[in-house]
Amino acid sequence: MGVFDSGVGGLTVVASLRSRLPALDLVYLGDTARLPYGTKSAATVARYTHRNISFLLDRGVDGIVVACNSASAMALDTLAVSVPVWGVIEPGAAAAAACSVSRVGVIATEATVRSQAYPRALHRLRPELDVRAQPCPLLVPLVEEGWLDDEVTDRVLRRYLEPLLLWGMDTLVLGCTHYPLLEPAVRRVVGPAVTLVDSAAAVSARVAEDLATSGAEVTGSAGGRLELLVTDDSPAFARLAERILDESVRLHWVDTVPATAALMESLS
Ligand code: DGL
């Protein structure tokens, strides 16, 4: 199974997949050379996404998880791929729709919010829900810096979340790969009454369910290999990867670019 994200955050999906399906072999691609995706246009993110998918297919994966919320929001609709592909938006929206009383807040990158992907997915499931999405561009850098349990991060979160709290949200979707790492900090700010939905956990549950339905053999209790590929060298990646996966990691530097020319042509 291939998993990709713009950077290290998608490893929250990998960690969740490994705890549900410990025998599943995974190839993870972190497109660190092009991070962040969350500030870029839909056309650019679609181009990167096609390139990453083509790269993973060349490595022989039999399914792909688009772990990046921004890529799932802006590029999933543009894909026609020969293997199953999972994005994070729909499973995250379904988890929120299943538990919200009436008001769902979504925090995400600017690109994901601009795409309206979460409100659309939530309204497809429950048209009566009120949904408000808040872009939080400062959160990814704070997580990359490792400031997960820090007064500065709490203040930034308070600034972003207070309008949603005043509005009366009962459920909050953590709509970015990095945000599950901030869950304790978010909880400190929103208090116990708001239900937090982690889109990484939601997509791994969906993948496990779909694999079981299709009869795929991933039932062992250990042994799944994990290959970690990055498009640029990054000490911050290694540091956070070890924190997320709770194991030491070895990164391989790869280049996804050779496939680009034809793909760009097909997109234009
Ligand atoms: N992976 C991105 C997402 O989930 C966050 C980091 C970025 O902006 O590339 O939206």
Side-chain angles (χ1 to χ4, degrees):
M1 175 82 59
V3 180
F4 83 82
D5 180 34
S6 51
V8 71
L11 287 176
T12 53
V13 174
V14 166
S16 186
L17 276 171
R18 274 162 80 76
S19 86
R20 270 176 201 280
L21 301 166
L24 184 67
D25 289 335
L26 292 166
V27 181
Y28 182 84
L29 174 65
D31 193 12
T32 43
R34 291 161 199 92
L35 175 91
Y37 283 13
T39 53
K40 296 193 168 74
S41 69
T44 297
V45 173
R47 181 153 44 88
Y48 294 169
T49 299
H50 282 245
R51 184 190 297 165
N52 295 341
I53 287 192
S54 160
F55 174 85
L56 286 168
L57 288 174
D58 284 348
R59 297 188 80 98
V61 300
D62 55 5
I64 294 174
V65 180
V66 181
C68 179
N69 282 258
S70 305
S72 297
M74 295 193 288
L76 213 60
D77 291 351
T78 69
L79 298 173
V81 184
S82 54
V83 300
V85 177
W86 292 268
V88 280
I89 306 288
E90 212 278 319
C99 63
S100 175
V101 179
S102 61
R103 291 190 170 177
V104 182
V106 178
I107 52 173
T109 63
E110 285 165 309
T112 300
V113 171
R114 207 181 329 116
S115 76
Q116 297 277 321
Y118 273 108
R120 271 207 305 270
L122 282 157
H123 285 140
R124 264 197 303 272
L125 296 162
R126 284 186 54 196
E128 82 286 7
L129 282 175
D130 282 331
V131 184
R132 277 198 193 174
Q134 168 69 51
C136 302
L138 295 177
L139 296 185
V140 167
L142 288 167
V143 172
E144 300 268 332
E145 194 61 28
W147 292 8
L148 306 182
D149 192 14
D150 191 284
E151 180 198 326
V152 171
T153 306
D154 284 14
R155 286 184 65 182
V156 172
L157 275 170
R158 216 167 290 126
R159 181 93 172 247
Y160 285 139
L161 292 172
E162 247 156 29
L164 294 174
L165 285 168
L166 285 172
W167 171 63
M169 70 174 163
D170 57 70
T171 301
L172 176 64
V173 179
L174 308 181
C176 171
T177 47
H178 287 59
Y179 300 173
L181 295 165
L182 291 173
E183 193 166 331
V186 172
R187 177 60 73 200
R188 276 197 293 279
V189 172
V190 301
V194 175
T195 304
L196 299 184
V197 172
D198 169 351
S199 54
V203 72
S204 74
R206 178 67 63 85
V207 171
E209 218 175 275
D210 290 350
L211 290 181
T213 308
S214 72
E217 283 292 318
V218 278
T219 48
S221 60
R225 287 187 306 265
L226 173 61
E227 202 180 354
L228 293 178
L229 313 175
V230 288
T231 53
D232 195 8
D233 195 14
S234 154
F237 187 109
R239 205 181 51 233
L240 260 181
E242 292 186 349
R243 193 160 177 173
I244 297 169
L245 297 171
D246 200 21
E247 60 188 80
S248 60
V249 300
R250 192 151 160 254
L251 306 179
H252 301 277
W253 196 351
V254 294
D255 192 354
T256 54
V257 173
T260 351
L263 284 167
M264 280 178 75
E265 249 181 52
S266 73
L267 280 172
S268 61

